[in-house]
């Protein structure tokens, strides 16, 4: 009942504010009734649009089950969620009765742009009004029209503040520690150096594409160098969720798994911080085409500051949780323990946001710390509780994002598809990935004992999928022409890579002769088998107690006693 | 990372809307930057206020642990959450530097009330503006002042749409079926007839109190008969969470437990529907003091319509989930199963809200249906997963509400404490409870095989606590003078009953000679012990598989094999 309910509030935020504004002080009952009814109508529409998403997710779950049941592997659940989203998007776009002015984008030239805030003086008191949007003159009395397209569009911050944190936390919390730390150096190199290289190469290539488009006359609005760099940062976050799911199922090589997983987890964090440092820098550097050394170093400084700050926040709250769980006997009460764990992990996010760092990054490192320290202090029940809780949240959030992506292709109102830009972007991400994987692997192999072989490098090259993070970063700001074009292109890249590359993983693995069915028990699994023993003893004890309570009335109770 | 994040969006809703309004089309970079910074500042403050609540909950959890550890029973966790809330409320109220105009309520007479919506014509295009609120003339450029008091106040709908559903669902889902259905007749009688009688008696008594106040000259504003009835409905929802927790711990009489629990769960639903039918009826009947038969029957019709509609919604989605889980082999994939369960249960809420019924009531019946049918189709892992998931959500939501209550006593800006009204209300709820418990018990005893004894009746009388539901209903509408007074009074009643009555449960039990330590295993527990057996066998199998994988390298693996 938790996660998506919030969205309801997100969507319904304005409504509630409107209502409270309308009913303050003494007011005529009729008017209040009208606002009340309007608010109710809006609330009803919010519920319907959320129901659409729930229906989509339910369908996805049932189809995933069918696929798993029949061992179909060419399509991952996220790809499926996108397809269902697409279908519903098409229905909403072309199936619902069109309301006039829907397809016309809300554009207005500089001259007649309205103020975003109005101050009205009513007998000496000032009231503030905020711009709600333009309405076509014919509809003045019918603003709350039944426009499903508008209703299914969420506030982009929802992705950053609600859907990404559980996904990222779960990634950190479910990290397979042994293999991660064994390959830490390489993972850090891929994530930091690799993402920076990829961002820089893609940014510069795209700037070339943009120049070309200007020459040919295909670009009608401004497109700065920083926009290109931002696109590079956005699109450099890989998300090989599909590939990793298949790796997991086939028990592919654990080192390759650790490299890919570690890189994708950490480069999400790098991409977020990179894009925010570029954005933070944008307004003053708007017209600088040339390379500015001071500005560059300032950006690097901002990057390092935000990154290390977020890292610290996450690590500190993780360690505090570990200490609290170690020095109290909280593990006698798994409910309290789980609640504390949840609250502390969540407070990391808020703490980082409150301090001006990046919550999502802090949550990632908090997850890793919790897995490394706190997990060992938890009771057996809390271990499975926390794992399962975040697994469910992660699953729901991820599938929600992917079905939203499918929907957005048809319902987002300001798409700008430029074939030149799209083709350029595909070439750029290919080159960016290549320039990042091969040279870095060569350098790393100089120092590594277990070399990263050629087929591993090809597989890493191939697994450069783009997913939820690229989408969330791209949708964050779609105000300008450049950003809208970047958003549409990102959406297409995500679609393409999730479907085509995701579907090709199994053939690719066998083509590259990468071992599957390789299962070396990790440290966690070893200790897990020790826990199995304790769990069994505990259950046997529970069983005898139970059978004593039942006074031998249940056959099972007796059976348990005999076993002991 | 889920539940309270939503609140962030709830609080931040306006902010995001404001931002997207400000950045549409081409606009000057400087202005955009300013809005951006303002939005960031607001976001930061939201994070800080949410952090306050998380800190409160963390403190509560740690103190609860201490109390449980030392077996302290005079204060329940909800009472504790309220105390911590109170302390923080006092600090926020008196400890932070006061900003001018904070204590002045936003009041304006009929003449200078501003429009809630403005339409502005800018060169032929119409733009809609909504009222954001009054601002004092000196602060026109500093609207976003750092006012913690305002920041920690949530939109009341958050309680109804986010915090109550998991609490109510958990109540339905964790119902002890056997005892509930054995006492179903009595429970229904207490919940429906009892709540109606209590609502009517309290409403009429309070109307007398209001008349008295008008005579004495203590009432400065309007207070209608329907307001009194609404107060009766609000305050008739009992919430003996404290008492039941102690019952559970001491293993008090199971039939008494079932009666109290069943009544409190169902009368929440009755109170919600009752109060909405009274509110729905209010605007036209404002000035009717006399009893209007037609209006009365119309209200009854609305009540029955909403109640049965919500009941149907809940039952239908529950049954659909049960059928889906029965006819698919979803139980091989507990994650999918849990996600489906969660989504279906949540969709009940949205479906009911979309159809104009009451989501919270639908969720309750969905919970009961899920426990009765779906639960038996779930895999063992999903059973514990769903139970634990909703247990955690319920725990967090409940403690959040109670600590918010503590906070609200000092931070809510429009309290109206009228001693006469408060004393009248305490007497009225006492009489209302008495008029509901004793006569009904007498009538029920005529037909019951197991009579409800006198000491049980006294205990039921004593356990008429008011809690989260009364608070949520009261905070829903605090626009008029009457409603503000009702809200403040409800808050005091909740405080008093939770602390005093909650603390007195253990002495009361021994004084009334009610059996404790009485534990008859329920059907669920019997089947649970059967499940223990299966779980054990499964774990043993897991263990052998594990040990085979480990190739005898782990001692535990071998130990497990030997046991088999």
């Amino acid at each position: 009942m938790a996660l998506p309910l919030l969205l309801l509030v997100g969507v319904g935020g304005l409504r509630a504010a409107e209502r409270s504004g309308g009913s303050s002080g003494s007011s005529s009952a009729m008017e209040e009734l009208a606002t009340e009814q309007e608010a109710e109508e809006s609330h009803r529409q919010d519920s319907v649009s959320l129901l659409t998403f729930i229906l989509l997710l339910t369908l996805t779950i049932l189809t995933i089950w069918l696929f798993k049941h029949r061992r179909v592997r060419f399509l991952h659940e996220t790809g499926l969620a996108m397809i269902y989203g697409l279908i519903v998007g098409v229905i909403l776009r072309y199936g619902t009765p069109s309301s006039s002015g829907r397809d016309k984008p809300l554009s207005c030239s500089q001259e007649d742009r309205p103020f975003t805030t109005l101050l009205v003086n009513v007998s000496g008191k000032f009231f503030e009004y905020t711009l709600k949007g333009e309405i076509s003159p014919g509809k003045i009395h019918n603003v709350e029209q039944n426009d499903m397209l508008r209703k299914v569009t969420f506030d982009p911050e929802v992705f950053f503040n609600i859907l990404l944190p559980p996904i990222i936390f779960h990634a950190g919390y479910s990290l397979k520690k042994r293999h991660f730390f064994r390959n830490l150096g390489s993972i850090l190199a891929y994530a930091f150096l690799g993402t920076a290289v990829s961002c820089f190469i893609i940014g510069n290539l795209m700037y070339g594409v943009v120049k070309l488009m200007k020459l040919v006359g295909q670009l009608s609005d401004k497109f700065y160098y920083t926009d290109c760099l931002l696109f590079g940062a956005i699109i450099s976050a890989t998300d090989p969720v599909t590939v990793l799911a298949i790796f997991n199922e086939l028990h592919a090589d654990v080192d390759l798994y650790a490299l890919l997983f570690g890189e994708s987890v950490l480069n999400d964090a790098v991409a977020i911080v990179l894009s925010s440092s570029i954005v933070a820098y944008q307004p003053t550097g708007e017209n600088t085409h040339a390379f500015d050394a001071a500005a560059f170093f300032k950006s690097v400084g901002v990057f390092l500051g935000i990154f290390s700050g977020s890292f610290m926040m996450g690590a500190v709250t993780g360690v505090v949780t570990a200490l609290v769980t170690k020095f109290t006997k909280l593990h006698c009460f798994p409910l309290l323990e789980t609640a504390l764990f949840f609250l502390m992990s969540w407070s990391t996010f808020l703490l980082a946001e409150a301090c001006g760092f990046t919550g999502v990054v802090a949550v990632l490192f908090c997850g890793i710390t919790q897995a490394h320290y706190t997990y060992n202090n938890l009771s057996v029940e809390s271990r499975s509780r926390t794992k399962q809780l975040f697994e469910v949240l992660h699953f729901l959030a991820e599938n929600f994002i992917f079905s939203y992506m499918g929907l957005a292709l048809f319902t987002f109102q300001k798409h700008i598809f430029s074939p030149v830009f799209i083709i350029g972007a595909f070439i750029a991400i290919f080159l960016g990935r290549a320039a990042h994987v091969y040279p870095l692997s060569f350098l790393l192999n100089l120092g590594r004992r277990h070399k990263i072989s050629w087929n591993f490098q090809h597989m890493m090259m191939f697994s450069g999928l783009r997913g939820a993070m690229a989408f969330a970063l791209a949708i964050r700001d779609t105000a300008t022409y450049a950003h809208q074009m970047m958003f549409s292109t990102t959406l297409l890249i995500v679609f393409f890579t999730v479907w085509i590359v995701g579907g090709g993983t199994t053939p690719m693995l066998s083509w590259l002769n990468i071992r599957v069915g390789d299962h070396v028990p990790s440290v966690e699994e070893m200790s897990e088998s020790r826990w199995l023993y304790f769990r069994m003893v505990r259950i046997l004890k529970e069983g005898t107690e139970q059978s004593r309570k039942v006074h031998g009335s249940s056959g099972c109770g007796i059976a348990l006693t005999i076993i002991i």
Side-chain angles (χ1 to χ4, degrees), chain A:
Chain A
M1 213 90 324
L3 188 98
L5 251 181
L6 3 164
L7 297 180
L8 188 69
V9 179
V11 184
L14 248 178
R15 178 183 58 75
E18 192 183 331
R19 173 196 279 184
S20 67
S23 60
S24 72
S26 58
S27 55
S28 78
M30 287 311 289
E31 193 177 304
E32 200 175 271
L33 189 68
T35 349
E36 194 73 19
Q37 279 172 347
E38 219 170 69
E40 230 164 69
E41 184 52 38
S42 159
H43 178 61
R44 203 167 294 179
Q45 283 174 24
D46 290 343
S47 301
V48 171
S49 68
L50 264 178
L51 260 178
T52 315
F53 281 103
I54 293 201
L55 187 79
L56 274 178
L57 289 183
T58 312
L59 260 178
T60 309
I61 288 176
L62 290 177
T63 324
I64 294 168
W65 165 70
L66 256 183
F67 277 25
K68 289 209 177 193
H69 194 60
R70 309 235 159 134
R71 295 178 190 282
V72 176
R73 278 204 197 98
F74 67 88
L75 192 58
H76 186 246
E77 55 208 50
T78 51
L80 201 72
M82 283 204 302
I83 292 178
Y84 281 126
L86 267 181
I87 294 171
V88 174
V90 170
I91 293 172
L92 285 181
R93 177 92 184 179
Y94 301 108
T96 50
S98 74
S99 64
S100 70
R102 190 178 62 193
D103 297 315
K104 200 185 70 175
L106 196 147
S107 72
C108 41
S109 64
Q110 192 67 35
E111 290 81 58
D112 61 7
R113 207 173 56 81
F115 298 102
T116 51
T117 306
L118 284 188
L119 284 174
V120 179
N121 184 333
V122 182
S123 40
K125 281 176 180 158
F126 285 90
F127 293 92
E128 192 190 14
Y129 287 82
T130 47
L131 179 61
K132 212 182 153 195
E134 189 191 346
I135 44 173
S136 57
K139 303 231 164 209
I140 287 173
H141 291 289
N142 190 19
V143 179
E144 288 283 342
Q145 51 176 304
N146 184 1
D147 196 347
M148 274 298 281
L149 284 196
R150 198 165 46 80
K151 277 287 166 195
V152 293
T153 311
F154 292 105
D155 174 9
E157 292 298 309
V158 166
F159 292 97
F160 252 81
N161 292 330
I162 294 177
L163 295 170
L164 280 185
I167 295 180
I168 300 289
F169 183 87
H170 181 254
Y173 194 50
S174 65
L175 211 69
K176 290 194 173 167
K177 278 178 289 173
R178 199 176 64 156
H179 297 283
F180 178 77
F181 285 110
R182 202 166 67 180
N183 293 297
L184 190 63
S186 310
I187 290 172
L188 287 177
Y190 282 123
F192 281 82
L193 262 180
T195 309
V197 166
S198 158
C199 165
F200 199 70
I201 288 181
I202 294 177
N204 282 298
L205 285 174
M206 290 322 289
Y207 193 58
V209 171
V210 166
K211 284 229 156 160
L212 185 77
M213 282 166 75
K214 272 185 185 153
L215 270 179
V216 186
Q218 282 217 343
L219 198 69
S220 58
D221 215 324
K222 290 171 217 160
F223 210 120
Y224 300 114
Y225 180 63
T226 42
D227 287 333
C228 294
L229 272 187
L230 180 63
F231 183 71
I234 286 175
I235 212 69
S236 290
T238 61
D239 181 9
V241 44
T242 329
V243 174
L244 292 179
I246 294 168
F247 270 40
N248 230 342
E249 222 168 291
L250 298 177
H251 296 298
D253 189 274
V254 281
D255 278 313
L256 183 57
Y257 184 95
L259 281 177
L260 269 176
F261 183 75
E263 187 212 345
S264 77
V265 163
L266 285 180
N267 79 6
D268 282 356
V270 175
I272 294 178
V273 182
L274 211 55
S275 61
S276 11
S277 14
I278 292 172
V279 167
Y281 181 64
Q282 212 161 9
T284 54
E286 246 175 13
N287 292 308
T288 57
H289 294 228
F291 183 80
D292 180 350
F296 175 77
F297 283 113
K298 200 181 152 195
S299 283
V300 170
V302 170
F303 173 85
L304 288 179
I306 297 182
F307 199 92
S308 53
S310 310
F311 172 79
M312 282 297 294
M313 288 281 158
V316 165
T317 43
V319 168
V320 168
T321 319
L323 291 176
V324 168
T325 46
K326 193 178 178 78
F327 292 111
T328 59
K329 281 193 185 108
L330 214 58
H331 53 78
C332 307
F333 306 99
L335 175 63
L336 295 183
E337 209 179 23
T338 310
L340 184 85
F341 185 90
F342 180 85
L343 287 175
M344 290 300 286
S345 305
W346 184 37
S347 73
T348 310
F349 179 83
L350 293 173
L351 205 64
E353 293 284 320
C355 297
F357 297 120
T358 310
V360 178
V361 176
V363 151
L364 168 66
F365 291 108
C366 178
I368 296 175
T369 321
Q370 301 279 39
H372 205 62
Y373 299 109
T374 314
Y375 187 77
N376 301 310
N377 301 333
L378 295 181
S379 63
V380 189
E381 207 184 317
S382 288
R383 286 181 189 201
S384 71
R385 262 185 195 226
T386 49
K387 282 250 173 213
Q388 289 170 358
L389 179 69
F390 286 108
E391 199 183 345
V392 171
L393 291 180
H394 153 89
F395 177 84
L396 290 175
E398 194 174 75
N399 282 292
F400 185 90
I401 290 190
F402 277 89
S403 64
Y404 186 83
M405 271 192 241
L407 211 71
L409 191 63
F410 284 95
T411 59
F412 183 70
Q413 317 250 340
K414 296 176 265 176
H415 274 305
I416 296 169
F417 292 109
S418 153
V420 180
F421 192 83
I422 292 166
I423 294 168
F426 269 98
I427 297 171
I429 61 165
F430 183 82
L431 293 178
R433 182 87 189 153
H436 142 200
V437 171
Y438 296 112
L440 257 181
S441 306
F442 173 76
L443 288 177
L444 287 171
N445 274 340
L446 296 180
R448 275 179 75 98
R449 248 189 327 150
H450 302 276
K451 306 288 179 206
I452 301 166
S453 62
W454 276 106
N455 50 0
F456 278 25
Q457 293 180 30
H458 294 319
M459 196 66 215
M460 287 191 73
M461 174 74 209
F462 178 79
S463 315
L465 294 179
R466 269 67 176 175
M469 183 55 81
F471 172 77
L473 283 171
I475 206 178
R476 214 171 184 186
D477 185 358
T478 54
T480 68
Y481 179 85
H483 287 187
Q484 285 161 18
M485 190 185 277
M486 278 153 55
F487 174 67
S488 306
T489 310
T490 306
L491 210 52
L492 284 186
I493 291 173
V494 173
F495 277 78
F496 180 81
T497 55
V498 167
W499 284 333
I500 306 296
V501 179
T505 303
T506 323
M508 200 68 181
L509 275 176
S510 60
W511 193 62
L512 288 173
N513 285 319
I514 290 174
R515 264 185 314 171
V516 291
D518 166 38
H519 189 81
V520 186
S522 64
V523 178
E524 290 101 72
E525 281 161 335
M526 303 270 273
S527 68
E528 191 58 38
S529 77
R530 225 173 305 140
W531 271 114
L532 273 179
Y533 177 72
F534 289 121
R535 252 165 79 195
M536 204 198 56
V537 169
R538 199 166 133 259
I539 285 173
L540 286 172
K541 270 189 194 157
E542 267 178 35
T544 15
E545 257 174 56
Q546 203 89 24
S547 74
R548 258 184 227 128
K549 277 185 201 147
V550 181
H551 299 300
S553 64
S554 133
C556 312
I558 295 171
L560 283 171
T561 329
I562 291 168
I563 288 178
I564 280 187

